[in-house]
Amino acid sequence: MIYLLFFLCGASLASFLQLISYRRSQKEQWIQGRSHCDFCGKNLSVVARIPIFHYFILKGKSQCCGKKLEKKYPIIEFLGGLLSILLFYKIGEISFLFWFIGGFYFLFLFLALEDISTMEVYIRDLVFLFFMALLCRIILGSFSIVSFALVSVACFAFHFIKKNSFGMGDSALLSILSLFHNSFIEFLWVVALGFGMASLYGGFLLFQKKGSRKTKIPLFPFLLLGSLVSFLLFY
Ligand SMILES: [Zn+2]
């Protein structure tokens, strides 16, 4: 029962993050006003606002104007639900640490969404993520300042050498991850898993002839997966 509750909360939070991300891209007010249809602008009914299930109840179409809804909405809501279950399962209690690590991963999810839709992230969001990671480390009471410093210097140097293929946001994210993860080995797992999955995805795009060698792939979602797997394995 408690897992179901966590799942629903996580899914609702992911749904809310998608709404904020959408509103920010449209330069609308973030919080004010009711949710409305992406296509015709009519206010959404209660049913259309239930995370994940709205997609199945409405058979993948908007209630007001019958346009096809994007599949990414229920998928990301499902991932949000799954994320909160996994974190609760791993941490085992609703403590300060649970809230901060949860906050870190949901903020990370938000940044991954931004990276997918615009290929860009806001510096302000990365600063928030950095402080979230720092708070988690302070609560856990273990610091690996050497690995954080080395990774930061290496990533930013790499960014300035290969400006076109490796963004500033990616460098900043890698240094944040080296702070968040407990040891350098754990961080290497994040990098190996993240870049491994990104290359597989790139290979898949090439194979499907949907991209070329120059196609840019958003790295944040892959590093998020890598970080989560590594956290679940080592925490
Ligand atoms: Zn509509």
Side-chain angles (χ1 to χ4, degrees):
M1 195 62 200
I2 190 150
Y3 279 99
L4 183 67
L5 192 67
F6 269 101
F7 183 82
L8 289 177
C9 289
S12 308
L13 187 55
S15 163
F16 179 65
L17 293 179
Q18 292 193 94
L19 179 70
I20 293 183
S21 170
Y22 175 79
R23 286 187 174 174
R24 185 148 81 167
S25 70
Q26 301 289 312
K27 306 245 180 306
E28 288 177 26
Q29 284 282 336
W30 294 10
I31 308 291
Q32 275 173 8
R34 282 159 54 98
S35 315
H36 53 70
C37 172
D38 286 358
F39 306 104
C40 68
K42 273 193 187 147
N43 283 342
L44 292 182
S45 67
V46 177
V47 174
R49 283 189 274 169
I50 307 171
I52 309 174
F53 301 103
H54 75 92
Y55 189 83
F56 300 99
I57 297 170
L58 302 175
K59 299 194 178 81
K61 287 189 182 127
S62 67
Q63 205 172 12
C64 36
C65 51
K67 294 252 166 59
K68 227 177 146 189
L69 295 173
E70 282 188 73
K71 280 199 188 67
K72 71 170 187 191
Y73 292 114
I75 292 174
I76 287 165
E77 284 155 12
F78 176 78
L79 291 177
L82 193 65
L83 175 62
S84 55
I85 287 184
L86 286 172
L87 290 180
F88 179 62
Y89 171 76
K90 199 67 196 173
I91 298 169
E93 52 176 2
I94 305 174
S95 55
F96 264 127
L97 188 65
F98 173 78
W99 292 115
F100 282 114
I101 290 184
F104 177 82
Y105 274 115
F106 273 96
L107 187 56
F108 198 167
L109 179 68
F110 180 69
L111 282 159
L113 291 176
E114 297 267 280
D115 197 21
I116 293 170
S117 56
T118 63
M119 289 293 292
E120 267 169 47
V121 288
Y122 287 78
I123 300 278
R124 197 175 38 187
D125 297 352
L126 280 166
V127 173
F128 267 124
L129 194 68
F130 169 78
F131 280 110
M132 240 25 209
L134 191 64
L135 280 170
C136 293
R137 279 269 71 92
I138 291 172
I139 295 173
L140 282 166
S142 59
F143 250 124
S144 171
I145 199 83
V146 179
S147 107
F148 172 61
L150 284 178
V151 169
S152 305
V153 170
C155 288
F156 283 101
F158 191 65
H159 165 69
F160 284 109
I161 298 163
K162 296 204 83 170
K163 248 185 185 132
N164 293 324
S165 59
F166 197 69
M168 184 78 156
D170 299 326
S171 305
L173 179 65
L174 283 174
S175 5
I176 293 170
L177 287 175
S178 73
L179 177 69
F180 178 77
H181 285 279
N182 200 24
S183 67
F184 191 60
I185 301 293
E186 197 179 315
F187 171 72
L188 285 183
W189 270 95
V190 178
V191 173
L193 286 167
F195 282 87
M197 283 186 280
S199 328
L200 279 179
Y201 177 68
F204 174 74
L205 287 185
L206 269 181
F207 181 71
Q208 296 252 305
K209 300 204 166 63
K210 281 184 184 157
S212 72
R213 281 179 193 284
K214 288 207 170 134
T215 306
K216 280 199 174 175
I217 294 170
L219 269 179
F220 276 56
F222 295 102
L223 287 170
L224 170 60
L225 281 175
S227 168
L228 195 61
V229 171
S230 173
F231 175 77
L232 294 174
L233 283 176
F234 292 100
Y235 176 74

